[in-house]
Amino acid sequence: MRATDRVGDDLYRRLLANDADAPRDLLYAYLDPLASWLSARYWNVDPHHCTTAAEEALLSLIKNPTLYDPQKLSLPAYLRMAVRGDLLNILDADKRHRAHLAPLDDVELYADAGNTGQDVANPETLVTERAERQAKLAEAVRVLNAISSGLTPEEQEVLILMLFDQERKTEPYVQVLRISHLPLSEQRRAVKKVKDKIQKRLRRAAITNV
Amino acid sequence: MSKRINALAQRLRTDQFFLASALNDYATSEQMDDAALAAALHCSPETLTSLFLCRRPQPEPPAFRQDVDAIATRFSVRADVLAEAVRRADALVALRQDTSAITAASGGTLIAARDRQDEEPHDTNEPQQP
Protein backbone atom coordinates (compact mmCIF):
# COMPACT_ATOMS: atom_id res chain seq x y z
CA MET A 1 0.00 0.00 0.00
CA ARG A 2 1.31 3.43 -0.86
CA ALA A 3 2.15 6.19 1.61
CA THR A 4 -0.67 8.40 2.96
CA ASP A 5 -1.53 11.72 1.32
CA ARG A 6 -4.50 13.01 3.31
CA VAL A 7 -5.34 16.12 1.28
CA GLY A 8 -5.31 14.31 -2.04
CA ASP A 9 -7.16 11.32 -0.60
CA ASP A 10 -9.91 13.52 0.79
CA LEU A 11 -10.32 15.48 -2.44
CA TYR A 12 -10.44 12.30 -4.47
CA ARG A 13 -13.01 10.74 -2.12
CA ARG A 14 -15.22 13.82 -2.56
CA LEU A 15 -14.83 13.71 -6.35
CA LEU A 16 -15.93 10.08 -6.37
CA ALA A 17 -18.85 10.96 -4.08
CA ASN A 18 -19.83 13.58 -6.72
CA ASP A 19 -19.63 16.52 -4.29
CA ALA A 20 -20.59 19.60 -6.32
CA ASP A 21 -17.80 21.73 -4.83
CA ALA A 22 -15.06 19.06 -5.08
CA PRO A 23 -13.94 20.17 -8.58
CA ARG A 24 -13.49 23.71 -7.33
CA ASP A 25 -11.38 22.58 -4.37
CA LEU A 26 -9.26 20.28 -6.52
CA LEU A 27 -8.54 23.08 -9.00
CA TYR A 28 -7.67 25.55 -6.23
CA ALA A 29 -5.38 22.99 -4.59
CA TYR A 30 -3.49 21.80 -7.64
CA LEU A 31 -3.74 24.07 -10.71
CA ASP A 32 -1.10 26.62 -9.74
CA PRO A 33 1.37 24.17 -8.16
CA LEU A 34 1.04 21.74 -11.07
CA ALA A 35 1.43 24.40 -13.78
CA SER A 36 4.35 26.06 -11.94
CA TRP A 37 6.09 22.73 -11.43
CA LEU A 38 5.69 21.79 -15.10
CA SER A 39 6.91 25.21 -16.23
CA ALA A 40 9.99 24.92 -14.03
CA ARG A 41 10.60 21.37 -15.24
CA TYR A 42 10.29 22.27 -18.90
CA TRP A 43 11.72 25.76 -18.71
CA ASN A 44 12.09 26.09 -22.50
CA VAL A 45 8.42 25.39 -23.22
CA ASP A 46 5.87 28.19 -23.54
CA PRO A 47 4.43 28.64 -20.00
CA HIS A 48 0.98 28.98 -21.57
CA HIS A 49 1.30 25.39 -22.84
CA CYS A 50 2.23 24.26 -19.32
CA THR A 51 -0.84 25.97 -17.87
CA THR A 52 -3.08 24.41 -20.51
CA ALA A 53 -1.59 20.97 -19.83
CA ALA A 54 -2.21 21.37 -16.10
CA GLU A 55 -5.81 22.43 -16.81
CA GLU A 56 -6.36 19.42 -19.08
CA ALA A 57 -4.89 16.95 -16.57
CA LEU A 58 -7.13 18.26 -13.79
CA LEU A 59 -10.27 18.52 -15.94
CA SER A 60 -9.73 14.91 -17.12
CA LEU A 61 -9.52 13.73 -13.53
CA ILE A 62 -12.60 15.74 -12.52
CA LYS A 63 -14.70 14.35 -15.35
CA ASN A 64 -13.32 10.79 -15.12
CA PRO A 65 -12.17 10.21 -11.54
CA THR A 66 -11.92 6.44 -11.99
CA LEU A 67 -8.88 6.95 -14.25
CA TYR A 68 -6.84 7.38 -11.07
CA ASP A 69 -6.08 4.43 -8.82
CA PRO A 70 -5.41 5.73 -5.28
CA GLN A 71 -3.98 2.35 -4.25
CA LYS A 72 -0.99 2.82 -6.57
CA LEU A 73 0.03 6.47 -6.43
CA SER A 74 -0.52 9.60 -4.42
CA LEU A 75 -2.71 12.16 -6.16
CA PRO A 76 0.12 14.68 -6.69
CA ALA A 77 2.32 11.96 -8.23
CA TYR A 78 -0.51 10.85 -10.52
CA LEU A 79 -1.14 14.43 -11.63
CA ARG A 80 2.55 15.03 -12.36
CA MET A 81 2.58 11.92 -14.49
CA ALA A 82 -0.68 12.74 -16.30
CA VAL A 83 0.28 16.34 -17.01
CA ARG A 84 3.35 15.24 -18.92
CA GLY A 85 1.13 13.30 -21.34
CA ASP A 86 -1.10 16.32 -21.81
CA LEU A 87 1.90 18.55 -22.43
CA LEU A 88 3.19 16.16 -25.08
CA ASN A 89 -0.20 16.25 -26.81
CA ILE A 90 -0.17 20.06 -26.78
CA LEU A 91 3.38 20.21 -28.12
CA ASP A 92 2.45 17.71 -30.85
CA ALA A 93 -0.49 19.85 -31.92
CA ASP A 94 1.65 22.98 -31.82
CA LYS A 95 4.37 21.32 -33.86
CA ARG A 96 1.88 20.25 -36.51
CA HIS A 97 0.53 23.80 -36.61
CA ARG A 98 3.98 25.35 -36.90
CA ALA A 99 5.04 22.87 -39.58
CA HIS A 100 2.50 24.54 -41.82
CA LEU A 101 3.58 28.07 -40.90
CA ALA A 102 7.28 28.28 -40.11
CA PRO A 103 10.68 27.30 -41.51
CA LEU A 104 12.19 24.08 -40.15
CA ASP A 105 14.76 26.07 -38.09
CA ASP A 106 12.06 26.81 -35.48
CA VAL A 107 11.97 23.13 -34.57
CA GLU A 108 15.17 23.68 -32.58
CA LEU A 109 13.10 25.62 -30.03
CA TYR A 110 11.49 22.32 -29.05
CA ALA A 111 14.58 20.13 -29.12
CA ASP A 112 15.07 20.01 -25.33
CA ALA A 113 11.39 19.26 -24.76
CA GLY A 114 11.91 15.86 -26.33
CA ASN A 115 11.37 16.40 -30.03
CA THR A 116 13.93 14.99 -32.43
CA GLY A 117 14.14 18.15 -34.53
CA GLN A 118 14.19 15.98 -37.63
CA ASP A 119 11.88 16.27 -40.55
CA VAL A 120 9.13 18.13 -38.67
CA ALA A 121 7.09 18.68 -41.81
CA ASN A 122 6.68 14.94 -42.36
CA PRO A 123 3.35 13.87 -40.80
CA GLU A 124 4.44 10.22 -40.74
CA THR A 125 7.45 11.13 -38.61
CA LEU A 126 5.21 13.04 -36.21
CA VAL A 127 2.84 10.11 -35.91
CA THR A 128 5.72 7.69 -35.31
CA GLU A 129 7.35 9.94 -32.69
CA ARG A 130 4.06 10.40 -30.91
CA ALA A 131 3.33 6.66 -30.92
CA GLU A 132 6.80 5.98 -29.50
CA ARG A 133 6.32 8.55 -26.75
CA GLN A 134 2.93 7.17 -25.83
CA ALA A 135 4.30 3.65 -25.73
CA LYS A 136 7.09 4.84 -23.40
CA LEU A 137 4.51 6.61 -21.26
CA ALA A 138 2.34 3.51 -20.99
CA GLU A 139 5.35 1.38 -20.09
CA ALA A 140 6.45 3.90 -17.47
CA VAL A 141 2.98 3.86 -15.92
CA ARG A 142 3.11 0.08 -15.75
CA VAL A 143 6.51 0.12 -14.07
CA LEU A 144 5.45 2.92 -11.74
CA ASN A 145 2.41 1.00 -10.56
CA ALA A 146 4.49 -2.15 -10.07
CA ILE A 147 7.16 -0.66 -7.83
CA SER A 148 5.69 2.41 -6.12
CA SER A 149 3.99 0.51 -3.32
CA GLY A 150 5.33 1.68 0.06
CA LEU A 151 7.19 4.69 -1.35
CA THR A 152 6.52 8.05 0.25
CA PRO A 153 4.99 10.74 -2.01
CA GLU A 154 8.45 12.37 -2.24
CA GLU A 155 10.06 9.07 -3.22
CA GLN A 156 7.39 8.58 -5.87
CA GLU A 157 8.39 11.95 -7.31
CA VAL A 158 12.03 10.80 -7.39
CA LEU A 159 10.94 7.66 -9.22
CA ILE A 160 9.11 9.76 -11.82
CA LEU A 161 12.18 11.98 -12.31
CA MET A 162 14.34 8.90 -12.84
CA LEU A 163 11.88 7.07 -15.10
CA PHE A 164 10.31 9.84 -17.17
CA ASP A 165 12.93 12.53 -17.29
CA GLN A 166 16.10 10.45 -16.94
CA GLU A 167 17.23 13.34 -14.73
CA ARG A 168 20.98 13.33 -14.01
CA LYS A 169 21.29 16.57 -12.07
CA THR A 170 20.98 16.53 -8.27
CA GLU A 171 19.03 19.79 -7.92
CA PRO A 172 15.59 18.54 -9.10
CA TYR A 173 15.83 15.64 -6.64
CA VAL A 174 16.78 18.04 -3.84
CA GLN A 175 13.66 20.05 -4.64
CA VAL A 176 11.22 17.12 -4.58
CA LEU A 177 12.81 15.72 -1.40
CA ARG A 178 12.69 19.20 0.18
CA ILE A 179 16.24 19.01 1.52
CA SER A 180 17.66 22.22 0.09
CA HIS A 181 18.28 23.43 3.65
CA LEU A 182 20.94 20.70 4.14
CA PRO A 183 24.62 21.16 3.29
CA LEU A 184 25.51 20.14 -0.25
CA SER A 185 27.27 16.92 0.75
CA GLU A 186 24.27 15.80 2.80
CA GLN A 187 21.92 16.66 -0.06
CA ARG A 188 23.93 14.42 -2.37
CA ARG A 189 24.00 11.65 0.23
CA ALA A 190 20.22 11.84 0.80
CA VAL A 191 19.47 11.87 -2.94
CA LYS A 192 21.77 8.90 -3.51
CA LYS A 193 20.10 6.97 -0.68
CA VAL A 194 16.62 7.39 -2.21
CA LYS A 195 17.85 6.68 -5.75
CA ASP A 196 19.63 3.52 -4.56
CA LYS A 197 16.41 2.36 -2.86
CA ILE A 198 14.50 2.88 -6.07
CA GLN A 199 17.23 1.33 -8.21
CA LYS A 200 16.98 -1.82 -6.06
CA ARG A 201 13.24 -2.00 -6.72
CA LEU A 202 13.77 -1.38 -10.42
CA ARG A 203 16.36 -4.19 -10.54
CA ARG A 204 13.93 -6.53 -8.78
CA ALA A 205 11.33 -5.56 -11.40
CA ALA A 206 14.05 -6.19 -14.05
CA ILE A 207 14.10 -2.58 -15.30
CA THR A 208 17.66 -1.64 -16.21
CA ASN A 209 17.49 1.34 -18.58
CA VAL A 210 17.20 4.09 -15.94
CA MET B 1 -6.88 35.43 -6.66
CA SER B 2 -4.77 33.30 -8.98
CA LYS B 3 -4.67 34.49 -12.60
CA ARG B 4 -4.74 30.87 -13.73
CA ILE B 5 -7.85 30.14 -11.68
CA ASN B 6 -9.55 33.25 -13.05
CA ALA B 7 -8.64 32.39 -16.64
CA LEU B 8 -9.84 28.81 -16.26
CA ALA B 9 -13.13 29.98 -14.75
CA GLN B 10 -13.71 32.11 -17.84
CA ARG B 11 -12.79 29.25 -20.14
CA LEU B 12 -15.33 26.97 -18.43
CA ARG B 13 -18.26 29.23 -19.41
CA THR B 14 -18.76 26.97 -22.42
CA ASP B 15 -18.27 23.65 -20.58
CA GLN B 16 -21.64 22.13 -19.70
CA PHE B 17 -20.07 20.06 -16.89
CA PHE B 18 -19.44 23.18 -14.80
CA LEU B 19 -21.70 25.68 -13.06
CA ALA B 20 -19.89 28.39 -15.05
CA SER B 21 -21.90 27.50 -18.16
CA ALA B 22 -25.24 27.63 -16.34
CA LEU B 23 -24.45 30.97 -14.69
CA ASN B 24 -23.18 32.32 -18.00
CA ASP B 25 -26.38 31.36 -19.82
CA TYR B 26 -28.52 32.83 -17.06
CA ALA B 27 -26.56 36.08 -16.97
CA THR B 28 -26.77 36.39 -20.77
CA SER B 29 -30.53 35.84 -20.70
CA GLU B 30 -30.86 38.54 -18.03
CA GLN B 31 -28.36 40.84 -19.79
CA MET B 32 -26.22 40.85 -16.66
CA ASP B 33 -22.47 41.26 -16.50
CA ASP B 34 -20.45 39.40 -13.85
CA ALA B 35 -20.80 42.24 -11.36
CA ALA B 36 -24.60 42.17 -11.65
CA LEU B 37 -24.64 38.38 -11.42
CA ALA B 38 -22.52 38.45 -8.25
CA ALA B 39 -24.85 41.09 -6.79
CA ALA B 40 -27.92 38.95 -7.58
CA LEU B 41 -26.32 35.99 -5.84
CA HIS B 42 -25.17 38.20 -2.93
CA CYS B 43 -21.54 37.25 -3.35
CA SER B 44 -18.19 38.83 -4.17
CA PRO B 45 -16.47 38.50 -7.59
CA GLU B 46 -14.00 36.07 -5.98
CA THR B 47 -16.83 33.86 -4.74
CA LEU B 48 -18.41 34.00 -8.20
CA THR B 49 -15.18 32.54 -9.57
CA SER B 50 -15.44 29.71 -7.03
CA LEU B 51 -19.03 29.07 -8.12
CA PHE B 52 -17.92 28.88 -11.76
CA LEU B 53 -15.59 26.00 -10.87
CA CYS B 54 -18.24 23.89 -9.12
CA ARG B 55 -19.95 21.03 -10.89
CA ARG B 56 -23.24 21.98 -12.49
CA PRO B 57 -26.12 20.73 -10.29
CA GLN B 58 -27.68 17.53 -11.53
CA PRO B 59 -31.08 18.21 -13.11
CA GLU B 60 -33.10 15.44 -11.46
CA PRO B 61 -34.67 15.81 -8.00
CA PRO B 62 -33.68 15.33 -5.23
CA ALA B 63 -30.06 15.68 -6.44
CA PHE B 64 -30.79 19.13 -7.89
CA ARG B 65 -31.89 20.55 -4.55
CA GLN B 66 -29.07 18.83 -2.68
CA ASP B 67 -26.44 20.21 -5.06
CA VAL B 68 -27.88 23.73 -5.03
CA ASP B 69 -28.17 23.77 -1.25
CA ALA B 70 -24.66 22.38 -0.80
CA ILE B 71 -23.14 25.05 -3.06
CA ALA B 72 -25.25 27.88 -1.62
CA THR B 73 -24.37 26.91 1.95
CA ARG B 74 -20.68 26.43 1.25
CA PHE B 75 -20.29 29.84 -0.43
CA SER B 76 -23.05 31.73 1.40
CA VAL B 77 -24.94 32.72 -1.75
CA ARG B 78 -28.67 32.99 -2.39
CA ALA B 79 -29.97 29.47 -2.97
CA ASP B 80 -33.18 30.70 -4.65
CA VAL B 81 -31.28 32.75 -7.23
CA LEU B 82 -28.82 29.92 -7.82
CA ALA B 83 -31.66 27.42 -8.34
CA GLU B 84 -33.45 29.81 -10.69
CA ALA B 85 -30.24 30.40 -12.65
CA VAL B 86 -29.57 26.69 -13.17
CA ARG B 87 -33.19 25.90 -14.06
CA ARG B 88 -33.25 28.74 -16.59
CA ALA B 89 -29.95 27.57 -18.10
CA ASP B 90 -31.19 23.96 -18.31
CA ALA B 91 -34.33 25.19 -20.09
CA LEU B 92 -32.24 27.23 -22.54
CA VAL B 93 -30.08 24.21 -23.32
CA ALA B 94 -33.18 22.09 -23.96
CA LEU B 95 -34.63 24.83 -26.17
CA ARG B 96 -31.43 25.06 -28.21
CA GLN B 97 -31.44 21.30 -28.71
CA ASP B 98 -35.10 21.35 -29.82
CA THR B 99 -34.43 24.27 -32.18
CA SER B 100 -31.46 22.45 -33.74
CA ALA B 101 -33.61 19.38 -34.31
CA ILE B 102 -36.38 21.45 -35.93
CA THR B 103 -33.91 23.34 -38.13
CA ALA B 104 -32.28 20.10 -39.25
CA ALA B 105 -35.69 18.59 -40.04
CA SER B 106 -36.81 21.67 -41.99
CA GLY B 107 -33.55 21.77 -43.89
CA GLY B 108 -34.04 18.16 -44.93
CA THR B 109 -37.55 18.83 -46.21
CA LEU B 110 -36.51 21.90 -48.21
CA ILE B 111 -33.65 20.07 -49.89
CA ALA B 112 -35.98 17.28 -50.98
CA ALA B 113 -38.43 19.80 -52.50
CA ARG B 114 -35.65 21.50 -54.47
CA ASP B 115 -34.53 18.13 -55.80
CA ARG B 116 -38.00 17.27 -57.05
CA GLN B 117 -38.24 20.69 -58.76
CA ASP B 118 -34.89 20.17 -60.45
CA GLU B 119 -35.96 16.76 -61.67
CA GLU B 120 -39.17 17.97 -63.41
CA PRO B 121 -38.79 17.93 -67.23
CA HIS B 122 -38.37 21.31 -68.92
CA ASP B 123 -41.17 21.89 -71.57
CA THR B 124 -39.63 23.90 -74.48
CA ASN B 125 -43.05 24.59 -76.05
CA GLU B 126 -44.26 26.58 -73.06
CA PRO B 127 -44.42 30.34 -73.67
CA GLN B 128 -41.47 32.15 -72.02
CA GLN B 129 -42.24 34.54 -69.19
CA PRO B 130 -41.28 38.16 -69.84
Side-chain angles (χ1 to χ4, degrees), chain A residues 15-144:
Chain A
L15 265 185
L16 275 185
N18 215 14
D19 283 5
D21 55 350
R24 178 263 180 209
D25 289 345
L26 186 84
L27 290 165
Y28 267 76
Y30 289 110
L31 179 59
D32 274 339
L34 192 59
S36 297
W37 171 84
L38 195 64
S39 219
R41 192 79 203 94
Y42 297 99
W43 51 269
N44 58 331
V45 171
D46 183 345
H48 175 72
H49 288 332
C50 294
T51 296
T52 305
E55 288 175 358
E56 290 304 317
L58 287 162
L59 293 178
S60 288
L61 177 64
I62 286 167
K63 292 179 181 180
N64 300 287
T66 55
L67 287 177
Y68 163 58
D69 182 354
Q71 297 301 316
K72 304 287 187 188
L73 282 178
S74 69
L75 188 55
Y78 169 80
L79 288 171
R80 288 184 188 202
M81 190 178 66
V83 78
R84 283 178 169 87
D86 286 306
L87 182 60
L88 290 174
N89 290 339
I90 289 166
L91 292 177
D92 270 345
D94 193 51
K95 188 196 279 187
R96 281 194 299 276
H97 176 69
R98 285 172 178 269
H100 293 297
L101 298 177
L104 286 175
D105 288 347
D106 286 356
V107 167
E108 289 173 5
L109 290 170
Y110 297 94
D112 288 342
N115 298 294
T116 62
Q118 293 172 3
D119 203 3
V120 162
N122 184 342
E124 283 182 15
T125 307
L126 292 178
V127 168
T128 305
E129 282 178 12
R130 185 178 182 182
E132 283 170 2
R133 269 202 299 274
Q134 286 181 335
K136 280 186 195 169
L137 202 67
E139 173 61 13
V141 169
R142 186 193 69 76
V143 169
L144 200 64

Side-chain angles (χ1 to χ4, degrees), chain B residues 43-75:
Chain B
C43 71
S44 65
E46 290 75 21
T47 301
L48 186 64
T49 298
S50 281
L51 293 180
F52 272 28
L53 301 177
C54 290
R55 178 181 52 70
R56 187 179 183 129
Q58 299 162 95
E60 327 81 26
F64 177 82
R65 198 73 238 174
Q66 286 165 357
D67 286 346
V68 165
D69 286 346
I71 295 170
T73 303
R74 165 81 192 269
F75 297 104

